[in-house]
Amino acid sequence: MQPTREDRFSFGLWTVGWPANDPFGDATRPALDPVESVHRLAELGAWGVSFHDDDLIPFGADDVTREDRITRFRKALDETGIVVPMATTNLFKHPVFKDGGFTSNDRSVRRFALRKVLRNIDLAAELGASTYVLWGGREGSETDAGKDVRAALDRYREAMNVLTQYVIDHGYDIRFALEPKPNEPRGDILLPTIGHALGFISTLEHSELVGLNPEVGHEQMAGLNFVHGISQALWQGKLFHIDLNGQKGPRFDQDLIFGHGDLLSAFFLVDLLENGGYDGPRHFDYKPLRTEDIDGVWASAAANMRTYLLLKERAAAFRADPAVQEALAKAKVLELSEPTLAAGETVADLRAADADFDPDAVGARGYGFVELSQLAIEHALGAR
Amino acid sequence: MQPTREDRFSFGLWTVGWPANDPFGDATRPALDPVESVHRLAELGAWGVSFHDDDLIPFGADDVTREDRITRFRKALDETGIVVPMATTNLFKHPVFKDGGFTSNDRSVRRFALRKVLRNIDLAAELGASTYVLWGGREGSETDAGKDVRAALDRYREAMNVLTQYVIDHGYDIRFALEPKPNEPRGDILLPTIGHALGFISTLEHSELVGLNPEVGHEQMAGLNFVHGISQALWQGKLFHIDLNGQKGPRFDQDLIFGHGDLLSAFFLVDLLENGGYDGPRHFDYKPLRTEDIDGVWASAAANMRTYLLLKERAAAFRADPAVQEALAKAKVLELSEPTLAAGETVADLRAADADFDPDAVGARGYGFVELSQLAIEHALGAR
Amino acid sequence: MQPTREDRFSFGLWTVGWPANDPFGDATRPALDPVESVHRLAELGAWGVSFHDDDLIPFGADDVTREDRITRFRKALDETGIVVPMATTNLFKHPVFKDGGFTSNDRSVRRFALRKVLRNIDLAAELGASTYVLWGGREGSETDAGKDVRAALDRYREAMNVLTQYVIDHGYDIRFALEPKPNEPRGDILLPTIGHALGFISTLEHSELVGLNPEVGHEQMAGLNFVHGISQALWQGKLFHIDLNGQKGPRFDQDLIFGHGDLLSAFFLVDLLENGGYDGPRHFDYKPLRTEDIDGVWASAAANMRTYLLLKERAAAFRADPAVQEALAKAKVLELSEPTLAAGETVADLRAADADFDPDAVGARGYGFVELSQLAIEHALGAR
Amino acid sequence: MQPTREDRFSFGLWTVGWPANDPFGDATRPALDPVESVHRLAELGAWGVSFHDDDLIPFGADDVTREDRITRFRKALDETGIVVPMATTNLFKHPVFKDGGFTSNDRSVRRFALRKVLRNIDLAAELGASTYVLWGGREGSETDAGKDVRAALDRYREAMNVLTQYVIDHGYDIRFALEPKPNEPRGDILLPTIGHALGFISTLEHSELVGLNPEVGHEQMAGLNFVHGISQALWQGKLFHIDLNGQKGPRFDQDLIFGHGDLLSAFFLVDLLENGGYDGPRHFDYKPLRTEDIDGVWASAAANMRTYLLLKERAAAFRADPAVQEALAKAKVLELSEPTLAAGETVADLRAADADFDPDAVGARGYGFVELSQLAIEHALGAR
């Protein structure tokens, strides 16, 4: 269960670097130098790190400071072999973004937000990132009177069109990934779920360059099935990146270690990612508990990877178990891949066919989902 | 506050006709003849009724019974002037649909479901319905092992492609409206929110014929802001129909009278529908409380319409209030309609401009959302 | 993992006997004879069954029917050795209870409800039950205007005082267990959580005879930590009985198989029950999925017991692991059992002591909860 | 709608004084001098202010600073006539409390917490406060392995016993009010609801001195009916204080202005408080939106009071409306105050009586809750 580069585990600098302040409490840990984070994560077996501009370079820093920070960071990357698969922008911490970035009611803020993103895209490209994440945590409202949502979506689209054109014009090998979240810090956030973001993306000029970075906890904060959401994102070719963590249902954003929330859903998620064609980073976006010191921080980083690997092993055993294959067949899970109409069949043919279909008889048949579900539980528990 | 035909209020036959059985209790009211419902709703000021096939014609009825029921129903429509703006299919009650209709693992069930829908589309067209709603309440799963969601979405798409081609081929003036719901009766339902359905629709062959029928309570069961969701649906040109009712957050599907759940959200919803370009039916999909007798049923039907009209009056006063207009201006709500980049402005222009932008100064400015929000509350309370 | 009588597993007759009707669908399975249920559950390794009066004897049955049903049931018990540790009353299915039983606004209904309970207590005593459960699923309201909650609690208390006096007067060896639930079927149910019921019980005349029957899913429908709730119930000496099942957070009442909801919480629950002094029945109150036929019903019954036994094994290994013991010590989990004031220490002593306490230094110490939590995950996964 | 001292409106210093930092963002407003807050609140019509020790005196301040701050505060109180009805302790901000105060696993922290509370009780008494609130926001856990909840409740009880004895010994006219909350900042907080706290209180040595300070949003974060909870607290004689604010269901703690969340519930709450015998402070515990400047802060303070007064007026009109009285009678709301058994009636009498009770006939009667509910809505909307 020792992670290797091949596992493609990555971490946001802001995860291990979180100083553990929360809405009711001060920081419990000192600031962490990104250089140290890169080295420690490399030692633990990680493959990549991601960053917000402000994680690396203090907001408003002068050019000398900026270059110094970037140089030190590059050096750490070079020394460790850690890659930067993804970068993103902090459009939520400074008071200027209190009503949003791309969709602030204040046009001057929207312009500033765009400039901030553009600048960091250049850095992302320079550092080799192929995914640029946009979490619009401040794009939203607390009162429906205060935000014209349709105008806001116009501006959101305008921003995405500008950004996609920008990477095209500069020949950057970068795709964008929107990260949905239903609420917190805003009362209601625009594009609150995987679905709303998918709908929005379909309206963009270069929608082929825009996909998703769904986060386990964000979708579960809306009580939604994350595995279903990821399935739809994959189905629409839009799973560009993923944020793995844990959450215990609708409440504040917990950012627990992966698997430390809904463990069964984590099992099915790993099963889907490993067997469903996703080949992007396994990226952890979590917060080490505020009760921990720096040892706990590194223990938590390791725990994320170890849990993933354990679940991967469990999922492989599940898929390989003949009893599971039999149960899948009995439940007709594979039959769902068969088109409902036969090749060349017309509606008229369909209506004429199956004259002897007996709804009562078919309705009485059992699907055996209980057996399948219990097999999954037992595999998750390592009991088969 | 007396509703008229011009208000375009419509009701599902299954709403007033619900016999008030629930998962823990038997029916408390006798079955209601659709003919009586049409007459009573007309007397109360409604404009239209909608129906599932099985509301009108018992499942499995022979052709004679079928024709008789349709004839009686048509007569009631003719006598009252009530129209049928929408129809839908019951793909959830009979045991045959226990694992879904369009996405049942059992192909024979999928075929049966399609035939059932096709047949009722013919009737819908015959009765003049222009919207055909599809609520996939059984399309989903209780265990992630039991449903290949990507295959299910393939089948869902296949079904929609068949149906849209069918109405095109037959020259029916019918558009489809998908009705999202996150869960209940299935553990997790496919296309759980407005957003997921919008994403799905973007993949369809005739996506122009497919939109949404969002329901207040369904979106609120996921803790989502319904007004935001409707705004996005309108923005994407997909608000084909709407189901008005009430719900108290994430819990079982309550189907309360409109306004009897989140009253403030109902106020903003009516404001949006009346001022946001929606001209479809104001359709109530609710359940008269199980504690009520038939008098309570008709009282509840009237209450839906009366609450809507009251909120419409409140919303008009809100928009007309100069203090509101001033607060909207102060909060820069209208400024959001102004593009972020000027006409013809390039990214280079943008990056060069606004050299004197001072984030701290702008971040210190107040938006005045509190004042705006309080004005809305006071208008809702009829206090201004 | 074969259950035995010593495991004290019991099932409600209404669980395996549920015909799988739901708010949107008809029954998918035929009625099940309680006699058959007793025999099949015995074969699967169960130890007991529980029942509502109406599970055994149809509502309103005449005395001959009643006696016949009881006789047949007793015979099955005798043949199998299955015991009846608990009985309860159906105060929710018949329309007469639509506004509640003990707290219906209609006094005649309250009187009828009391008589129905009293009659079944006699039968419970006759069959040897030592716990009598009261789930007040209809005690509540959909509008705050319709129920004077303080008067309702007066009536609830009155009912409990009558019932406790009754078992005392008759020398029955029966204690009562209230089963809290936040909502469904009523919009809001009185005594919605373990806590509210504990508060209520403290006001009763014979509070020593009244405890709780908490249900996993009911507490999780309010987003609450079930293990914490059970801990408080145990701490107050009020865990008289328990309903084991599964639920996926705030939504409709799912009644999944035990462990098929929040698996990690199920692990900690079994750990607590096995090591925390609870010696009552391990009672399953769940619903076999509507998609299943009768084979799936019995598979689901077996799955409940098997999952419990697996988790029991995992919990024992967790407690026995030296690494866990070390982590518990490091996290000072045991130190919490040490009184905060020393024996005989006064407040003045306390205020004078610890002059050198350094909040900053103590605040910087890590608790190591991450390590402990990860050890639990790995034990749950059977990976240590 | 101009508030006066007689309305007994009070505010926490930390409400208007919140600098608007949140988990994802920096403060948007400068610190506010408590002296200014007292003056401004007085001008707006408030009657009282409440405080945490650290709101007034910086954590760890020396005695000179402490005395200076207290002196300035007292002067502001004297100048304005503002009273201090309640005080409380900050046991959540400093890192030392990261695993709790009274129930930290670390005994030295528990001792420090007690000393901190004791010291501030002296100040509370000195300033005339009659209620001392305890919100145990850090008493809880993120993993069930990390907290022995039964030991934690022992320590919680120990602390309460020490504190109640302390006020008795010192002759302070102070009662304690526990403030429940389900989660945030801890993953799960002990005593998560009104109910759990009521249950706990029943175990205390001086339970007569310990009641509740329920907060609107905290109970609604668990999806619970706050009006029902307050009713039970009143019924048990335990509503010692109340925190009024707004929340939109299960999500992060929003602390919206009173009425800006569930408006209908706010209407029924004011109806209950005004007509249900509560005579304590109407205390607002909310956060002015982060988007606001200092003008918005004072506007938000005024909005809380104005909304309360509007709802009070609406509730009075509701109760006075003959149509409401008629509907209450029809719904038998008052009949619930009539004991179920007649005076002197025995169980035997009860069982013999009502021989002609016809469940089917009674079950068919309607309660008219729809009409009552709609009357409430229309009164809330100011439409009658």
Side-chain angles (χ1 to χ4, degrees):
Chain A
M1 291 301 142
Q2 179 56 35
T4 68
R5 301 292 156 105
E6 286 63 47
D7 293 316
R8 308 192 78 190
F9 290 129
S10 60
F11 289 81
L13 285 183
W14 65 91
T15 62
V16 293
W18 181 56
N21 59 308
D22 72 17
F24 299 94
D26 289 338
T28 69
R29 292 189 292 262
L32 200 55
D33 184 337
V35 168
E36 185 182 350
S37 296
V38 169
H39 280 277
R40 294 302 305 263
L41 289 169
E43 287 163 30
L44 292 169
W47 156 82
V49 297
S50 58
F51 69 95
H52 298 91
D53 46 0
D54 299 352
D55 296 335
L56 208 54
I57 308 148
F59 182 95
D62 58 30
D63 287 353
V64 175
T65 306
R66 178 181 173 88
E67 282 314 306
D68 173 63
R69 299 298 172 94
I70 294 170
T71 304
R72 294 181 68 239
F73 183 57
R74 271 183 168 287
K75 185 159 168 285
L77 297 176
D78 291 344
E79 287 169 354
T80 57
I82 289 280
V83 298
V84 176
M86 181 269 272
T88 181
T89 326
N90 188 321
L91 295 180
F92 46 86
K93 191 173 181 192
H94 191 280
V96 74
F97 301 121
K98 63 191 180 187
D99 186 45
F102 295 162
T103 69
S104 171
N105 283 356
D106 187 324
R107 182 169 174 262
S108 75
V109 175
R110 300 198 295 271
R111 293 172 64 82
F112 176 65
L114 259 180
R115 288 197 304 271
K116 194 167 190 284
V117 173
L118 288 163
R119 188 177 198 193
N120 204 45
I121 287 175
D122 291 341
L123 178 58
E126 196 183 317
L127 293 172
S130 57
T131 303
Y132 201 88
V133 163
L134 293 160
W135 172 58
R138 297 278 175 204
E139 320 292 353
S141 65
E142 285 75 34
T143 168
D144 292 342
K147 190 65 63 179
D148 178 338
V149 171
R150 288 169 296 160
L153 294 173
D154 279 339
R155 296 293 77 73
Y156 223 141
R157 178 162 55 187
E158 181 189 4
M160 293 313 303
N161 289 346
V162 166
L163 296 177
T164 49
Q165 194 59 53
Y166 183 77
V167 300
I168 292 168
D169 290 348
H170 285 66
Y172 291 158
D173 182 23
I174 281 182
R175 296 190 304 177
F176 295 92
L178 301 176
E179 180 174 330
K181 191 178 183 187
N183 56 67
E184 197 194 9
R186 297 310 297 272
D188 294 291
I189 298 179
L190 300 176
L191 310 181
T193 74
I194 287 173
H196 294 76
L198 288 173
F200 170 75
I201 289 168
S202 73
T203 73
L204 301 178
E205 271 173 22
H206 292 285
S207 60
E208 75 284 2
L209 290 180
V210 187
L212 294 182
N213 177 45
E215 178 172 318
V216 174
H218 292 181
E219 210 74 3
Q220 293 177 344
M221 287 167 68
L224 298 176
N225 183 319
F226 189 67
V227 176
H228 280 205
I230 292 298
S231 296
Q232 184 171 348
L234 278 168
W235 182 75
Q236 297 199 213
K238 291 300 186 192
L239 188 65
F240 287 6
H241 200 264
I242 193 165
D243 274 359
L244 300 170
N245 63 15
Q247 173 74 16
K248 297 191 177 171
R251 57 175 67 176
F252 72 103
D253 186 11
Q254 296 191 275
D255 282 334
L256 299 170
I257 291 169
F258 180 60
H260 289 221
D262 184 337
L263 181 57
L264 200 53
S265 178
F267 166 78
F268 283 118
L269 177 63
V270 171
D271 177 52
L272 176 63
L273 293 177
E274 294 298 319
N275 304 308
Y278 175 71
D279 62 358
R282 273 63 177 164
H283 181 256
F284 298 106
D285 185 1
Y286 80 109
K287 290 194 175 78
L289 294 178
R290 187 173 177 268
T291 51
E292 306 304 290
D293 59 17
I294 189 68
D295 290 343
V297 168
W298 303 123
S300 70
N304 276 297
M305 295 187 283
R306 189 166 157 79
T307 302
Y308 189 98
L309 291 176
L310 279 167
L311 292 172
K312 180 176 167 182
E313 191 181 73
R314 299 279 176 277
F318 173 70
R319 289 289 154 193
D321 184 345
V324 170
Q325 289 162 1
E326 198 178 323
L328 286 167
K330 187 184 163 197
K332 299 179 190 283
V333 173
L334 305 179
E335 190 174 310
L336 190 53
S337 294
E338 197 179 333
T340 301
L341 270 66
E345 190 175 18
T346 65
V347 163
D349 295 339
L350 171 72
R351 298 181 91 163
D354 305 328
D356 57 346
F357 181 77
D358 179 348
D360 292 341
V362 175
R365 282 187 211 151
Y367 282 88
F369 291 137
V370 158
E371 190 184 343
L372 196 49
S373 187
Q374 181 66 12
L375 284 165
I377 296 269
E378 295 187 11
H379 274 288
L381 296 175
R384 288 184 64 93
Chain B
M1 291 302 142
Q2 179 56 35
T4 68
R5 300 291 158 103
E6 285 64 44
D7 294 314
R8 308 192 76 190
F9 289 128
S10 60
F11 289 81
L13 285 182
W14 66 91
T15 63
V16 294
W18 181 55
N21 58 309
D22 71 19
F24 299 93
D26 289 339
T28 68
R29 293 189 290 261
L32 199 57
D33 185 336
V35 167
E36 184 181 351
S37 296
V38 169
H39 281 278
R40 294 303 303 263
L41 289 169
E43 288 164 29
L44 292 170
W47 156 81
V49 296
S50 58
F51 68 95
H52 298 91
D53 46 359
D54 299 351
D55 297 334
L56 208 57
I57 307 146
F59 183 94
D62 59 29
D63 288 352
V64 174
T65 306
R66 179 180 173 87
E67 282 314 307
D68 172 63
R69 298 298 172 96
I70 295 170
T71 304
R72 292 182 69 239
F73 182 58
R74 274 181 167 286
K75 183 158 170 286
L77 297 176
D78 292 343
E79 286 169 355
T80 56
I82 289 281
V83 298
V84 176
M86 182 268 273
T88 182
T89 327
N90 188 321
L91 295 180
F92 46 86
K93 192 173 182 192
H94 191 281
V96 75
F97 300 121
K98 64 190 177 186
D99 185 45
F102 294 163
T103 69
S104 171
N105 282 357
D106 186 324
R107 183 170 174 261
S108 75
V109 174
R110 300 197 295 271
R111 293 171 63 82
F112 177 65
L114 260 181
R115 290 197 302 272
K116 193 168 191 284
V117 173
L118 288 163
R119 188 177 198 194
N120 204 44
I121 287 174
D122 292 340
L123 178 57
E126 195 184 318
L127 294 172
S130 57
T131 304
Y132 200 87
V133 163
L134 293 161
W135 171 59
R138 297 277 175 205
E139 319 292 354
S141 65
E142 285 75 34
T143 169
D144 292 342
K147 190 66 61 179
D148 178 339
V149 171
R150 288 169 295 161
L153 294 172
D154 280 338
R155 297 291 78 73
Y156 224 140
R157 177 162 56 188
E158 182 189 3
M160 293 313 302
N161 289 345
V162 166
L163 296 178
T164 49
Q165 194 58 53
Y166 184 77
V167 300
I168 291 168
D169 290 347
H170 285 68
Y172 290 158
D173 182 24
I174 281 182
R175 296 190 306 177
F176 295 91
L178 301 177
E179 180 174 331
K181 190 178 183 187
N183 57 66
E184 197 193 9
R186 296 310 294 271
D188 294 291
I189 298 178
L190 301 175
L191 309 182
T193 74
I194 287 173
H196 294 77
L198 287 173
F200 170 76
I201 289 168
S202 73
T203 73
L204 301 178
E205 271 173 22
H206 292 285
S207 61
E208 75 283 2
L209 290 181
V210 186
L212 295 182
N213 177 45
E215 178 172 318
V216 174
H218 291 181
E219 210 74 1
Q220 294 178 343
M221 287 166 69
L224 298 175
N225 183 319
F226 190 66
V227 176
H228 280 205
I230 291 298
S231 296
Q232 184 171 348
L234 278 168
W235 181 75
Q236 297 199 214
K238 290 302 187 190
L239 188 66
F240 287 7
H241 200 264
I242 194 165
D243 273 359
L244 300 170
N245 63 16
Q247 173 75 15
K248 297 190 176 173
R251 57 175 67 177
F252 72 103
D253 186 11
Q254 295 191 275
D255 283 335
L256 299 170
I257 291 169
F258 180 61
H260 290 221
D262 183 337
L263 182 57
L264 199 54
S265 178
F267 166 77
F268 283 117
L269 177 63
V270 172
D271 177 51
L272 177 64
L273 293 177
E274 294 298 319
N275 304 308
Y278 176 70
D279 63 356
R282 273 66 176 163
H283 181 256
F284 299 105
D285 185 0
Y286 80 109
K287 290 194 173 79
L289 294 178
R290 187 172 177 269
T291 50
E292 306 304 291
D293 59 17
I294 191 67
D295 290 343
V297 169
W298 302 123
S300 69
N304 276 297
M305 295 187 283
R306 189 165 158 80
T307 302
Y308 189 99
L309 292 175
L310 280 166
L311 292 173
K312 180 177 169 181
E313 191 181 74
R314 299 280 176 276
F318 173 70
R319 290 288 154 193
D321 184 345
V324 170
Q325 289 162 0
E326 198 178 323
L328 286 167
K330 187 184 162 198
K332 300 179 190 284
V333 173
L334 304 179
E335 190 173 310
L336 190 52
S337 293
E338 196 178 333
T340 301
L341 270 65
E345 190 176 19
T346 66
V347 163
D349 296 339
L350 171 71
R351 296 180 91 162
D354 305 329
D356 57 344
F357 182 78
D358 179 347
D360 293 341
V362 175
R365 280 188 211 150
Y367 282 87
F369 291 138
V370 158
E371 190 184 343
L372 196 50
S373 186
Q374 181 66 12
L375 284 165
I377 296 270
E378 295 186 13
H379 273 289
L381 296 175
R384 286 185 65 95
Chain C
M1 291 300 144
Q2 178 55 36
T4 69
R5 300 292 156 105
E6 285 64 44
D7 294 314
R8 308 192 77 190
F9 289 128
S10 60
F11 289 81
L13 285 182
W14 66 91
T15 63
V16 294
W18 181 55
N21 59 308
D22 72 19
F24 299 92
D26 289 338
T28 68
R29 294 189 290 262
L32 200 55
D33 185 336
V35 168
E36 184 182 350
S37 296
V38 169
H39 280 278
R40 293 303 303 265
L41 289 169
E43 288 164 27
L44 292 169
W47 156 81
V49 296
S50 58
F51 69 95
H52 298 91
D53 47 359
D54 300 351
D55 296 334
L56 208 56
I57 307 145
F59 183 94
D62 60 30
D63 288 352
V64 174
T65 305
R66 178 181 174 88
E67 282 315 306
D68 172 62
R69 298 298 173 96
I70 295 170
T71 304
R72 292 182 69 241
F73 183 59
R74 273 182 167 287
K75 183 158 170 287
L77 297 175
D78 292 344
E79 287 168 354
T80 56
I82 288 281
V83 299
V84 176
M86 182 269 272
T88 182
T89 327
N90 188 321
L91 296 180
F92 46 87
K93 192 172 181 193
H94 191 280
V96 74
F97 300 122
K98 64 190 179 188
D99 185 45
F102 294 164
T103 69
S104 171
N105 283 356
D106 186 324
R107 183 169 174 260
S108 75
V109 175
R110 300 197 295 270
R111 292 172 63 82
F112 177 64
L114 260 180
R115 291 198 303 271
K116 193 167 191 286
V117 174
L118 289 163
R119 188 177 197 193
N120 203 44
I121 287 174
D122 292 340
L123 177 59
E126 195 184 316
L127 293 172
S130 57
T131 303
Y132 200 88
V133 163
L134 293 161
W135 172 59
R138 297 277 175 205
E139 320 291 355
S141 64
E142 284 77 32
T143 170
D144 292 342
K147 190 65 61 177
D148 179 339
V149 172
R150 288 170 294 160
L153 293 173
D154 280 338
R155 296 292 77 72
Y156 223 141
R157 177 162 55 189
E158 181 188 4
M160 293 313 303
N161 289 345
V162 166
L163 295 178
T164 49
Q165 194 57 54
Y166 183 78
V167 299
I168 291 169
D169 291 346
H170 285 67
Y172 291 158
D173 182 23
I174 281 182
R175 296 190 305 176
F176 294 91
L178 302 177
E179 180 174 331
K181 191 179 182 186
N183 56 67
E184 197 194 7
R186 296 310 295 271
D188 294 291
I189 298 178
L190 301 175
L191 309 182
T193 73
I194 287 174
H196 294 78
L198 287 173
F200 170 76
I201 289 167
S202 72
T203 73
L204 302 178
E205 272 173 22
H206 291 285
S207 60
E208 75 283 1
L209 290 181
V210 186
L212 295 183
N213 177 47
E215 178 172 317
V216 174
H218 291 181
E219 211 75 0
Q220 293 178 343
M221 287 167 69
L224 298 175
N225 183 320
F226 190 66
V227 176
H228 280 205
I230 291 300
S231 296
Q232 184 172 347
L234 278 168
W235 182 75
Q236 297 198 212
K238 291 301 188 191
L239 189 66
F240 286 7
H241 200 264
I242 193 165
D243 274 359
L244 301 170
N245 63 15
Q247 173 75 16
K248 297 192 176 170
R251 56 175 68 174
F252 73 102
D253 186 11
Q254 295 189 276
D255 283 334
L256 299 170
I257 292 169
F258 180 61
H260 289 220
D262 184 339
L263 181 56
L264 199 54
S265 178
F267 166 78
F268 283 118
L269 176 63
V270 171
D271 177 52
L272 176 64
L273 293 177
E274 294 298 320
N275 303 308
Y278 175 70
D279 63 357
R282 273 65 175 164
H283 181 256
F284 298 105
D285 185 1
Y286 81 110
K287 290 194 174 79
L289 295 178
R290 187 172 177 269
T291 50
E292 305 303 292
D293 59 17
I294 190 68
D295 290 343
V297 169
W298 303 122
S300 69
N304 275 297
M305 296 187 283
R306 188 165 158 80
T307 302
Y308 189 98
L309 291 176
L310 280 167
L311 291 172
K312 180 177 169 182
E313 191 182 71
R314 299 280 175 276
F318 173 71
R319 290 288 153 195
D321 184 345
V324 170
Q325 288 162 2
E326 198 179 321
L328 286 167
K330 187 185 162 196
K332 300 179 189 282
V333 173
L334 304 179
E335 190 174 309
L336 190 53
S337 293
E338 196 180 332
T340 301
L341 271 65
E345 189 176 18
T346 66
V347 163
D349 296 339
L350 171 72
R351 297 180 92 163
D354 304 329
D356 58 346
F357 181 78
D358 179 348
D360 292 341
V362 175
R365 279 187 212 151
Y367 281 88
F369 291 138
V370 158
E371 191 184 342
L372 196 49
S373 186
Q374 181 65 12
L375 284 165
I377 296 269
E378 295 186 13
H379 274 289
L381 296 176
R384 287 184 64 94
Chain D
M1 292 301 144
Q2 178 57 35
T4 69
R5 301 291 157 104
E6 286 64 45
D7 294 315
R8 309 192 75 192
F9 289 128
S10 60
F11 289 81
L13 285 183
W14 66 90
T15 62
V16 293
W18 181 57
N21 58 309
D22 73 18
F24 299 92
D26 289 338
T28 68
R29 293 189 291 261
L32 200 56
D33 185 337
V35 168
E36 185 182 349
S37 296
V38 169
H39 281 278
R40 295 300 305 263
L41 289 169
E43 288 163 29
L44 292 170
W47 155 81
V49 296
S50 58
F51 69 96
H52 299 91
D53 46 359
D54 299 351
D55 297 334
L56 209 55
I57 307 147
F59 182 94
D62 59 29
D63 286 354
V64 175
T65 306
R66 179 181 172 88
E67 281 316 305
D68 173 63
R69 299 298 172 94
I70 294 170
T71 304
R72 293 181 70 238
F73 183 57
R74 271 185 168 287
K75 184 160 169 283
L77 296 176
D78 292 344
E79 286 168 355
T80 56
I82 289 281
V83 298
V84 176
M86 181 270 271
T88 180
T89 327
N90 188 322
L91 295 180
F92 46 87
K93 192 174 181 193
H94 191 279
V96 75
F97 300 122
K98 64 191 179 187
D99 186 44
F102 295 163
T103 69
S104 171
N105 282 356
D106 186 324
R107 182 169 176 262
S108 75
V109 175
R110 301 198 294 271
R111 292 172 63 82
F112 177 64
L114 259 180
R115 290 197 303 272
K116 194 168 191 283
V117 173
L118 288 163
R119 187 177 197 193
N120 203 44
I121 287 174
D122 292 341
L123 178 57
E126 196 184 316
L127 293 173
S130 56
T131 303
Y132 200 87
V133 163
L134 293 160
W135 172 59
R138 297 277 174 204
E139 321 291 355
S141 65
E142 284 77 32
T143 169
D144 292 343
K147 190 66 62 180
D148 178 340
V149 171
R150 287 169 296 159
L153 293 173
D154 280 339
R155 295 293 78 72
Y156 224 141
R157 177 162 56 188
E158 181 189 3
M160 293 313 303
N161 289 346
V162 166
L163 296 177
T164 49
Q165 194 58 53
Y166 183 78
V167 300
I168 291 169
D169 291 347
H170 285 67
Y172 290 158
D173 182 24
I174 281 182
R175 297 189 304 178
F176 294 92
L178 302 176
E179 180 174 330
K181 190 178 183 186
N183 57 68
E184 199 196 8
R186 297 311 295 273
D188 294 291
I189 299 178
L190 300 176
L191 309 182
T193 74
I194 287 174
H196 294 77
L198 288 173
F200 170 75
I201 290 168
S202 73
T203 72
L204 301 177
E205 271 174 22
H206 291 286
S207 60
E208 76 283 2
L209 290 181
V210 186
L212 294 183
N213 177 45
E215 178 171 319
V216 173
H218 291 181
E219 210 75 2
Q220 292 177 344
M221 285 167 69
L224 298 175
N225 183 320
F226 189 67
V227 176
H228 280 205
I230 291 299
S231 297
Q232 184 171 348
L234 278 168
W235 182 74
Q236 296 198 215
K238 291 300 186 191
L239 188 66
F240 286 7
H241 199 264
I242 193 164
D243 273 359
L244 301 170
N245 62 16
Q247 173 75 16
K248 297 191 176 171
R251 58 174 67 175
F252 72 103
D253 186 12
Q254 296 190 275
D255 282 335
L256 299 170
I257 292 170
F258 180 61
H260 290 220
D262 184 338
L263 181 57
L264 199 54
S265 178
F267 166 78
F268 283 118
L269 177 62
V270 172
D271 177 52
L272 177 64
L273 293 177
E274 294 298 320
N275 303 308
Y278 175 71
D279 62 359
R282 272 65 175 164
H283 181 256
F284 299 104
D285 186 0
Y286 81 108
K287 290 194 175 79
L289 294 179
R290 187 172 176 269
T291 50
E292 306 303 291
D293 59 17
I294 190 68
D295 290 343
V297 169
W298 303 123
S300 70
N304 275 298
M305 296 187 283
R306 188 165 158 81
T307 301
Y308 190 98
L309 292 176
L310 280 168
L311 291 172
K312 180 177 169 181
E313 191 182 73
R314 299 278 176 277
F318 174 70
R319 290 288 155 194
D321 184 345
V324 171
Q325 289 162 1
E326 197 178 323
L328 287 167
K330 187 185 162 198
K332 299 181 189 284
V333 173
L334 305 179
E335 190 173 310
L336 190 52
S337 293
E338 196 179 334
T340 301
L341 270 66
E345 189 175 17
T346 66
V347 163
D349 295 340
L350 171 72
R351 296 180 93 162
D354 306 327
D356 58 346
F357 182 78
D358 179 348
D360 292 341
V362 175
R365 280 186 211 152
Y367 281 87
F369 291 136
V370 159
E371 190 184 343
L372 196 50
S373 187
Q374 181 66 11
L375 283 164
I377 296 268
E378 295 187 11
H379 274 288
L381 296 175
R384 288 183 64 92

